[in-house]
Amino acid sequence: MTLRAPRITRLGLALLKGTRHLDRDEIELDAHGPVGDRTWCLVDRAAARVLRTVDNPRLLRITVRPTDGGFVVTTPEGHSLDAATRDAADGIQAYDYWGRGARIRLQDSDCSAFFSEYLSRDVVLARADRGDVVYADPISIVTTGALRRLEEALTRSGYAVRSPLDARFRATMTLDLEHDPEPGTRLQLGDAVVEVTDPLERCAVIDLDPETGERTNTQLLQRIRTTDGRLPFGVGARVVSAGTLRLG
């Protein structure tokens, strides 16, 4: 089944894994997913591990925007670094990411020292192979209907929702649909077509404030937990036909 042109109410991605998820007016899709999404990551070279957002919530406070020569990093304190990037001589290496091997290329960049100081740990900037530091499918989707029902449940429990809930889920897109599309559904979005895969399992990242990185009592994990212990919210998707996604 194909749904034609459900309205896109929000688009976003993070250029560097774990940093602030930035709203976009449009996103280009190629065969691998959203172009630019999690192109970069930080690694703990001693542990041969990619840094995970849930373990390093201060990353959420940092904004990373692309430039012609690389990207510019800005902290909430107003400090910024215009970073040029260059592959180090080490070549492709395998670093652990949630128990699987992520192919990364370490970078010769001032950003490594910048992030090491900010996070108070020794980290190195790296460029990831497309999709290797994405936990599930390349595209994540939430719907306005599911978000509204979740917000109503939180409000009934006495929790005041102070910011848009879709920011918590860091989805590629929010679609104006009452219910999540079923697995196997194809969505015509402008000149792009994506196919829905499976419900997305969530982790404690959704209980972190998307602007401050602080853990807040949102009760989101509690509210989405099923009777068998799963934590699904939203759906994943893969690219069928490349194209451009635009708001509206």
Side-chain angles (χ1 to χ4, degrees):
M1 179 176 68
T2 299
L3 293 178
R4 291 192 175 276
R7 188 167 65 93
I8 300 174
T9 64
R10 188 171 193 163
L11 284 169
L13 54 75
L15 192 66
L16 191 152
K17 179 171 179 58
T19 58
R20 183 166 297 178
H21 203 251
L22 299 180
D23 287 347
R24 301 283 289 268
D25 291 332
E26 64 178 47
I27 287 177
E28 191 72 24
L29 292 183
D30 65 11
H32 300 283
V35 175
D37 190 31
R38 287 164 281 191
T39 298
W40 309 96
C41 63
L42 297 171
V43 300
D44 181 331
R45 182 155 46 182
R49 180 178 297 122
V50 177
L51 265 61
R52 304 185 305 192
T53 314
V54 69
D55 300 324
N56 299 274
R58 277 175 61 82
L59 282 172
L60 292 171
R61 295 165 55 85
I62 294 177
T63 301
V64 178
R65 298 186 185 278
T67 63
D68 290 340
F71 53 81
V72 60
V73 181
T74 307
T75 70
E77 296 80 16
H79 303 139
S80 64
L81 174 68
D82 195 348
T85 58
R86 182 177 69 254
D87 289 351
D90 309 63
I92 299 176
Q93 300 184 46
Y95 275 61
D96 177 77
Y97 175 64
W98 289 103
R100 66 175 190 249
R103 295 162 296 182
I104 63 97
R105 294 169 174 83
L106 298 178
Q107 299 294 296
D108 288 327
S109 172
D110 292 342
C111 261
S112 295
F114 183 91
F115 280 108
S116 294
E117 180 177 358
Y118 186 80
L119 297 172
S120 299
R121 62 182 300 178
D122 187 22
V123 299
V124 181
L125 178 70
R127 180 163 58 91
D129 270 16
R130 293 291 300 281
D132 273 21
V133 295
V134 179
Y135 183 73
D137 295 294
I139 298 168
S140 58
I141 298 170
V142 295
T143 58
T144 54
L147 289 165
R148 186 188 69 252
R149 289 187 290 274
L150 178 58
E151 181 169 349
E152 290 170 350
L154 289 167
T155 301
R156 286 194 300 270
S157 73
Y159 176 77
V161 179
R162 295 183 176 85
S163 60
L165 279 179
D166 45 0
R168 295 271 181 174
F169 293 99
R170 298 168 63 86
T172 310
M173 69 184 85
T174 303
L175 295 182
D176 190 12
L177 293 172
E178 186 61 23
H179 297 283
D180 291 351
E182 293 291 326
T185 301
R186 292 194 170 188
L187 303 171
Q188 178 81 49
L189 302 165
D191 53 355
V193 177
V194 305
E195 182 175 278
V196 176
T197 51
D198 297 300
L200 289 173
E201 287 284 326
R202 299 297 178 169
C203 70
V205 168
I206 65 173
D207 277 340
L208 300 175
D209 186 289
E211 293 187 0
T212 67
E214 296 177 356
R215 193 170 303 281
T216 55
N217 184 26
T218 62
Q219 305 177 36
L220 288 182
L221 281 178
Q222 176 184 337
R223 285 290 169 182
I224 68 174
R225 189 184 302 275
T226 62
T227 55
D228 61 359
R230 293 182 303 112
L231 299 164
F233 194 88
V235 292
R238 65 177 187 87
V239 179
V240 177
S241 298
T244 304
L245 306 178
R246 295 184 177 86
L247 282 179

